[in-house]
Amino acid sequence: QVQLVESGGGLVQPGGSLRLSCAASGRIFSINAMGWYRQAPGKQRELVASITSDGSTNYADSVKGRFTISRDNAKNTVYLQMNSLTPEDTAVYYCNARIRVFSSIYYNDYWGQGTQVTVSS
């Protein structure tokens, strides 16, 4: 009923920038929080940044001051602007959204398929 489609990953040199996008589609009644997680090889998935429906944001300490999360509610899309990237940012980045569909009164978590970000010279 719901799809999250990510784009914008790729290979970038240290110090470079990337912008990730994630668009939600389907029988969406309402979207609550949206966020980005990442998982590096051999590590657990971790929260990178999240944003509520009214625009309040939360960041992992490791990305504060370098990454910016934003959303366009009209497009059901969340973005992650990543600046000053380091090799430690290399991971698969996953989009997450808490969504209520028309056929339900509850919100459920949905995930994108993941997009690879590689920071290397």
Side-chain angles (χ1 to χ4, degrees):
Q1 286 184 318
V2 171
Q3 274 193 318
L4 299 182
V5 179
E6 299 141 340
S7 61
L11 173 65
V12 63
Q13 292 187 338
S17 298
L18 282 175
R19 188 189 193 213
L20 306 182
S21 300
C22 172
S25 62
R27 294 181 53 78
I28 296 171
F29 177 81
S30 176
I31 301 179
N32 194 340
M34 304 184 82
W36 290 94
Y37 289 71
R38 67 186 180 187
Q39 187 166 19
K43 294 188 177 181
Q44 289 189 328
R45 189 175 298 189
E46 63 175 356
L47 174 67
V48 176
S50 63
I51 184 168
T52 64
S53 56
D54 63 0
S56 296
T57 59
N58 180 51
Y59 295 93
D61 287 343
S62 60
V63 307
K64 283 180 181 177
R66 300 188 298 123
F67 291 9
T68 302
I69 190 170
S70 61
R71 63 190 282 175
D72 184 334
N73 290 331
K75 296 181 179 180
N76 291 336
T77 299
V78 62
Y79 306 96
L80 186 68
Q81 178 66 44
M82 304 185 294
N83 299 328
S84 302
L85 286 161
T86 73
E88 288 68 37
D89 296 314
T90 295
V92 178
Y93 284 70
Y94 296 92
C95 172
N96 169 268
R98 184 152 292 182
I99 296 172
R100 176 185 167 188
V101 298
F102 280 100
S103 58
S104 174
I105 62 171
Y106 301 108
Y107 285 88
N108 289 294
D109 280 328
Y110 292 85
W111 293 88
Q113 79 284 358
T115 185
Q116 177 70 45
V117 171
T118 302
V119 185
S120 176
S121 56

